[in-house]
Amino acid sequence: MTQDPRLSPLNSPGRVREQIAEYVAQHGRPEPAADSPARADDGLDLVVRGAQVLTPAGVGAFEVGVRDGRIVAVEPLGAGLVGDTVRELADDEVLLPGLVDAHVHVNEPGRTQWEGFATATRAAAAGGVTTILDMPLNSIPSTVNAQALEFKQLVAAPQAFVDVGFWGGAVPGNRTDLRELHEAGVFGFKCFLLHSGVDEFPPLDADELEDYLTGLAEVGGMMIVHAEDNLSIDRAPQAGGAAYSRFLASRPRGAENLAIATVIERARWTGAKVHILHLSSSDALPMIRSAKADGIDLSVETCPHYLTLAAEGIPDGATAYKCCPPIREGHNSDALWEGLLDGTIDYIASDHSPSTLDLKELESGDFGAAWGGIASVQLTLPVIWTAARERGIDLARVAHWMAAAPAQRVGLSDKGSIEVGRDGDLAVFAPEESFTVKVAELHHRNPLSPYDGKQLFGRVRSTYLRGTEVDFETPAGRLLRRA
């Protein structure tokens, strides 16, 4: 097959095959993670028991038993389950299902100095996240063909401390690659409707989007979209300098609203499954509600920074806060919370998108030049819980938005809930323990966070992956495929 000339040379299958060969020559090819040997008896590997265990029925007093990586028993407290390892919850601890973060930029291979699988998955585990889905861009090559997916899986396999799945990418020229990526198990395909920030991952225009959606509808694939309108951004005031207000004006709500409308209508015409990434504009909520009422197969996520930070509180020059779409005003955040509560927004994802410190332009404070991205996979749960408890929202609702709902939407039927048959992915959480964020103590690669110095509630004390406590020394995560 002749390569489409619009595809970046960095993503060419031939070049990626050469990179795979070089990697294997240096590191070898890791063996697939083996299943734990089945027990010869009916004993349990892990039992967790306590007065506060979050199941689909709510918080109650239960004992949870895990065998061979799966939850095999959820019994009333006092049932006397016996296991090789027993964890008695303290009075201030709640057992949550392991969280599912469906929007993480790991950036390896190619930009490993920004972030890598070892550091990103350690950070995830420290935050109670037991499953991440890795985005297809910012790594080199981008995950836009089967060879690039193979390379990324090869690099990820020996390093992952939590389970990792992968999104594919949809860029001009790779429409014929989508089916092969879909069959290889990616969970869907990400596209941009404007420049992505990296040249090797160019955007689709509206007609290309429709064409790709037509193809995905044929195989049941999902398109996940960075929805900001290219022309609207081009016509907006240009970002530059230290004034946050100027940066905010450069990414207007109207650009986001128009792009979301485009996605909705093209999904309506094609019957494809679509997902709106990192919703920041509350103005879009009415049309999203309307589209869902019309039966369009549409889901939406938002992120902790849009729910807990406000433009009014961002100092000029504080480029740690820069992300795209931008953090908007406080009243916009209030409306996003209402969208979560009424089900218009389906779930919360971190959009963990780190870079090296120099790319954040910390010395100049220039929002126009700084990389846009916030590293928060380790902090998403306490950030959201701190804000939720102030709003009178219970922990069960928060866990639904961060575990069950994303797992259900992306097709991870083994994840997101404490019930028999699911993976033994668990997080021991102390919701009333407060702490001050110290960026040097976070696990992601580059020490920068807009939450540095903030007091939060809720500490993850232990994380279990398929019944084994994460020790942050021995990677035991597995690579996941779409079912």
Side-chain angles (χ1 to χ4, degrees):
M1 182 185 300
T2 301
Q3 181 180 331
D4 191 303
R6 294 173 296 173
L7 285 173
S8 169
L10 295 175
N11 300 328
S12 74
R15 182 179 188 274
V16 178
R17 289 190 195 99
E18 292 175 357
Q19 291 175 294
I20 291 173
E22 291 173 3
Y23 183 90
V24 171
Q26 292 180 15
H27 304 283
R29 187 177 289 273
E31 294 294 326
D35 291 333
S36 300
R39 297 179 64 105
D41 55 29
D42 292 330
L44 299 173
D45 301 309
L46 171 70
V47 172
V48 182
R49 49 184 174 231
Q52 299 184 84
V53 175
L54 178 60
T55 72
V59 176
F62 291 102
E63 301 183 5
V64 179
V66 179
R67 179 192 305 126
D68 301 331
R70 295 272 186 165
I71 298 172
V72 296
V74 180
E75 300 290 343
L77 186 63
L81 296 180
V82 177
D84 294 342
T85 300
V86 177
R87 174 67 180 264
E88 303 273 0
L89 296 181
D91 291 343
D92 66 337
E93 293 177 340
V94 181
L95 188 66
L96 301 178
L99 306 181
V100 176
D101 192 336
H103 192 153
V104 177
H105 293 266
V106 178
N107 306 336
E108 187 178 13
R111 291 191 174 97
T112 312
Q113 70 273 26
W114 295 18
E115 185 66 288
F117 282 101
T119 48
T121 57
R122 276 195 186 97
V129 176
T130 51
T131 302
I132 65 168
L133 296 189
D134 173 62
M135 284 292 162
L137 74 156
N138 300 344
S139 58
I140 301 174
S142 306
T143 316
V144 296
N145 52 48
Q147 293 78 17
L149 175 64
E150 179 187 354
F151 191 17
K152 184 170 281 194
Q153 291 172 326
L154 182 68
V155 172
Q159 300 188 74
F161 286 86
V162 301
D163 287 354
V164 181
F166 302 91
W167 296 107
V171 298
N174 86 322
R175 188 187 192 281
T176 57
D177 292 289
L178 301 189
R179 184 180 290 270
E180 188 174 7
L181 280 166
H182 181 77
E183 292 173 351
V186 298
F187 286 81
F189 299 88
K190 181 175 186 177
C191 73
F192 280 73
L193 300 183
L194 80 171
H195 194 280
S196 69
V198 291
D199 291 338
E200 70 275 4
F201 200 94
L204 301 180
D205 64 29
D207 290 339
E208 287 172 324
L209 172 66
E210 182 180 345
D211 180 40
Y212 282 43
L213 289 177
T214 299
L216 291 181
E218 295 172 356
V219 298
M222 180 163 64
M223 184 74 86
I224 64 174
V225 186
H226 182 122
E228 290 182 281
D229 179 70
N230 190 50
L231 183 58
S232 299
I233 298 293
D234 286 346
R235 298 290 181 89
Q238 295 301 298
Y244 184 77
S245 59
R246 185 173 175 182
F247 168 63
L248 183 59
S250 76
R251 314 290 291 219
R253 293 165 180 255
E256 196 172 354
N257 303 335
L258 182 57
I260 291 171
T262 297
V263 174
I264 287 171
E265 292 313 303
R266 304 293 170 133
R268 188 192 307 276
W269 302 344
T270 61
K273 181 188 303 185
V274 293
H275 176 78
I276 302 298
L277 296 164
H278 45 49
L279 179 69
S280 79
S281 172
S282 62
D283 293 349
L285 292 170
M287 74 171 116
I288 293 168
R289 292 189 188 102
S290 177
K292 288 187 170 188
D294 288 345
I296 294 173
D297 195 343
L298 168 69
S299 57
V300 181
E301 70 184 48
T302 193
C303 304
H305 35 281
Y306 302 131
L307 294 165
T308 65
L309 303 174
E312 298 91 332
I314 298 177
D316 287 348
T319 54
Y321 291 82
K322 181 180 176 179
C323 57
C324 298
I327 296 162
R328 304 192 189 277
E329 302 82 359
H331 61 83
N332 180 81
S333 175
D334 293 338
L336 292 177
W337 278 103
E338 290 302 316
L340 275 167
L341 289 167
D342 69 20
T344 306
I345 300 172
D346 297 89
Y347 61 79
I348 297 169
S350 70
D351 190 7
H352 178 78
S353 185
S355 71
T356 55
L357 299 185
D358 61 303
L359 289 176
K360 292 299 283 188
E361 294 287 336
L362 300 176
E363 292 187 11
S364 71
D366 186 342
F367 279 99
W371 175 260
I374 290 176
S376 61
V377 66
Q378 184 171 339
L379 295 173
T380 299
L381 177 56
V383 165
I384 291 297
W385 170 239
T386 299
R389 70 193 288 279
E390 292 175 355
R391 293 172 179 268
I393 299 170
D394 64 30
L395 187 56
R397 200 72 178 270
V398 169
H400 172 78
W401 291 328
M402 297 180 66
Q408 180 178 7
R409 180 55 172 169
V410 304
L412 285 167
S413 59
D414 295 333
K415 306 291 187 181
S417 180
I418 298 177
E419 54 186 314
V420 172
R422 302 292 180 105
D423 285 351
D425 297 348
L426 308 166
V428 177
F429 185 60
E432 296 308 309
E433 181 180 347
S434 65
F435 67 99
T436 300
V437 176
K438 297 178 181 178
V439 71
E441 297 177 358
L442 301 177
H443 287 275
H444 65 258
R445 174 151 289 156
N446 290 283
L448 183 68
S449 169
Y451 304 107
D452 190 28
K454 296 186 184 299
Q455 185 179 32
L456 300 176
F457 282 88
R459 187 182 290 278
V460 174
R461 292 182 177 165
S462 299
T463 300
Y464 293 84
L465 183 65
R466 290 185 307 280
T468 300
E469 186 170 2
V470 178
D471 64 5
F472 301 94
E473 295 180 2
T474 307
R478 297 183 183 175
L479 304 188
L480 304 176
R481 291 172 49 97
R482 175 187 45 79

